[in-house]
Amino acid sequence: MDADQFEGIRRYVAFDADASATLADFYTHVAPHVPDIIEDFYATIESDPEARAVISGPEQVTRLKRSLEQWLIGALRGPHDLSYVANRKRIGLVHVRINLQQRFMLTAMNRIRLRLEEHVADFHSNDHELQRRVRRALNQLCDIELAIMLDAYHEYLSERIRSAERLATIGQLAATIGHELRNPLGIIESSLFLMKQRSAKLGLNDEQLEKHHEKIQKQVLTCSKIIANLLDLARDRPPKRRREQARVAIQRVIDELSSKVEVQLTVAPELTLDVDLDELSLVLSNLLSNASDAMGGKGTVHISAERFKGGTEIVVQDEGPGVPPEVRDRVFDALFTTKARGTGLGLALCRRIVHAHGGELELVASREGACFRLWFPELPEEPGTAR
Ligand code: HEM
């Protein structure tokens, strides 16, 4: 949502500077009741199995109550400017990412609206005109909040659909090409094997011939990798997520990498990660192989992981030249590549995998090198199993 759209919403609900000031004034009266409003808000979530299901555990409940208090204070006190819109949009995105259905935003907002309205009657109890203005401003505010939050859902889902459609089309093409190429490649590979056998049998000890055999072998391997990537991209199966020890899982991927790149790992031993290990392996090996290419084989990749917002965050940072600003928005687009020999499938595949986990993969700003941030939500707790 941009500045014009925000102005449009304000105009639509007729929310002006006077309404902002009225709410700030009302805040001084309602402030002592904020903890009660938040307890009621949370109790309502608790009483609804579907709403409760998105909550990952007691840690998150504490955070949620604290965030909600800040949200409520900010909503009433303002200022209702562009930084407020950016903040609300970010909050909206948090709900999209935890898979909270939109209807809960409407019902939860209504709950808050009603609880706030209950306190209007004893605010300047003789001034009915002021009370009318407060009620009106509260309704306008809740509508603006909802409009921004729902807009975040719309933007996010439109982007997902756009990228899913693109991937689906490319995926179909990828599957066809992948299957079509697998057979001829298999034939090349077995013919190469027979040729080598034949050379040995005939006692041909020709260095040039062997060099060409090696070259063919290497190129066949590269083609096989591309085909594997194409088929992975085409396959759209849900991940089989399990709780893993983060450090062990990441270390295993590093150990299995064919291109050796120096990695510095900073992960607490007790940290867990709810992922499909094979899929994580694909993502990390793609990121590490990109990092290795970007650094020309020299330098270190720094991988760290920690708990973050109801899940586990992994940061992968290299010491290469970084991603040029003009292509940052496109790096996850399938078929987009800056490498002379790249296919543009790796990062698209990584993002598809992370999204299938309900997680996030983004390129974040960094002072040095390219820095990718992955976030995997934790699986909902089984009843009776505390984390
Ligand atoms: C009027 C409606 C709501 C408002 C104003 C609201 C506000 C907030 C805010 C301010 C945050 C913190 C975002 C951040 O800074 O990262 C948040 C996060 C969250 N909200 Fe809501 N929320 C609403 C509805 C709900 C509902 C109905 C649920 C149902 C379960 C919910 C679950 C969560 C969860 C799980 C988080 C993430 C907490 C964390 O891990 O830090 N919210 N919400």
Side-chain angles (χ1 to χ4, degrees), residues 144-306:
I144 291 176
E145 288 279 349
L146 266 183
I148 303 174
M149 297 241 205
L150 295 183
D151 201 57
Y153 274 85
H154 174 73
E155 270 185 32
Y156 184 84
L157 294 175
S158 314
E159 168 52 28
R160 278 274 177 110
I161 291 169
R162 192 191 67 84
S163 127
E165 279 175 354
R166 191 174 152 81
L167 266 183
T169 314
I170 293 168
Q172 278 173 0
L173 192 70
T176 316
I177 296 175
H179 284 299
E180 292 296 323
L181 285 182
R182 239 191 346 204
N183 282 348
L185 203 62
I187 296 171
I188 296 175
E189 214 170 1
S190 51
S191 292
L192 180 66
F193 175 73
L194 293 174
M195 266 163 66
K196 277 184 178 171
Q197 263 194 342
R198 183 101 185 125
S199 304
K201 202 169 166 189
L202 293 175
L204 296 178
N205 207 353
D206 187 314
E207 226 178 83
Q208 279 298 95
L209 191 65
E210 289 205 351
K211 210 172 105 191
H212 286 296
H213 282 162
E214 291 313 313
K215 266 191 173 173
I216 297 175
Q217 182 76 61
K218 234 171 137 185
Q219 296 307 317
V220 166
L221 204 73
T222 308
C223 291
S224 301
K225 271 193 201 152
I226 295 175
I227 291 175
N229 262 347
L230 282 171
L231 293 177
D232 282 332
L233 192 72
R235 200 177 47 201
D236 196 10
R237 64 169 178 81
K240 294 195 184 98
R241 298 171 65 198
R242 278 186 18 199
R243 186 149 295 171
E244 308 283 350
Q245 294 303 119
R247 198 158 77 177
V248 177
I250 299 172
Q251 187 63 55
R252 206 188 82 176
V253 178
I254 298 169
D255 294 343
E256 283 171 0
L257 266 189
S258 52
S259 79
K260 287 293 165 222
V261 49
E262 193 160 327
V263 179
Q264 191 191 65
L265 195 59
T266 317
V267 184
E270 69 282 0
L271 187 74
T272 55
L273 186 59
D274 294 348
V275 286
D276 180 322
L277 212 49
D278 292 337
E279 307 264 275
L280 175 77
S281 178
L282 258 174
V283 174
L284 287 182
S285 56
N286 257 300
L287 292 180
L288 285 170
S289 142
N290 281 352
S292 170
D293 288 352
M295 300 190 304
K298 292 187 282 283
T300 306
V301 182
H302 304 265
I303 302 186
S304 58
E306 55 186 34

Side-chain angles (χ1 to χ4, degrees), residues 41 45 50-56 60-61 63-64 67-68 70-71 87 90-91 94-95 98 100 104-110 112 145-146 149 308-310:
F41 175 88
I45 291 180
E50 273 189 82
R52 198 175 52 219
V54 304
I55 304 277
S56 63
Q60 198 176 42
V61 174
R63 263 202 318 271
L64 180 55
S67 307
L68 204 71
Q70 291 310 313
W71 169 82
N87 175 270
R90 197 184 52 74
I91 294 171
V94 171
H95 295 107
I98 59 168
L100 181 69
F104 286 115
M105 292 317 305
L106 293 152
T107 47
M109 192 67 78
N110 204 40
I112 292 174
E145 288 279 349
L146 266 183
M149 297 241 205
F308 184 74
K309 293 232 162 111

